[in-house]
Amino acid sequence: MQHHSHAVGCCPHCDAPIEERRVLITYERAGGEAMYATCPECTDVVRPE
Ligand SMILES: [Zn+2]
């Protein structure tokens, strides 16, 4: 069984799980922390949900 790294969320477009190593940047905003990551399916920059 393969070990996968921790997923931070899912792509809002295609629902693919997004791994922590795909996160480009995290930032603070009102209400908490937010991040941008590259989706492995869309290869687009998304905000994981
Ligand atoms: Zn996607």
Side-chain angles (χ1 to χ4, degrees):
M1 200 174 185
Q2 254 188 322
H3 177 77
H4 291 286
S5 61
H6 174 69
V8 295
C10 290
C11 174
H13 303 302
C14 69
D15 217 35
I18 295 173
E19 294 174 4
E20 201 166 21
R21 64 189 172 87
R22 291 190 173 273
V23 175
L24 302 172
I25 191 171
T26 60
Y27 61 94
E28 295 294 324
R29 66 173 182 182
E33 194 178 58
M35 65 182 72
Y36 285 102
T38 308
C39 175
E41 295 294 327
C42 321
T43 64
D44 210 352
V45 176
V46 297
R47 281 181 290 188
E49 291 182 336

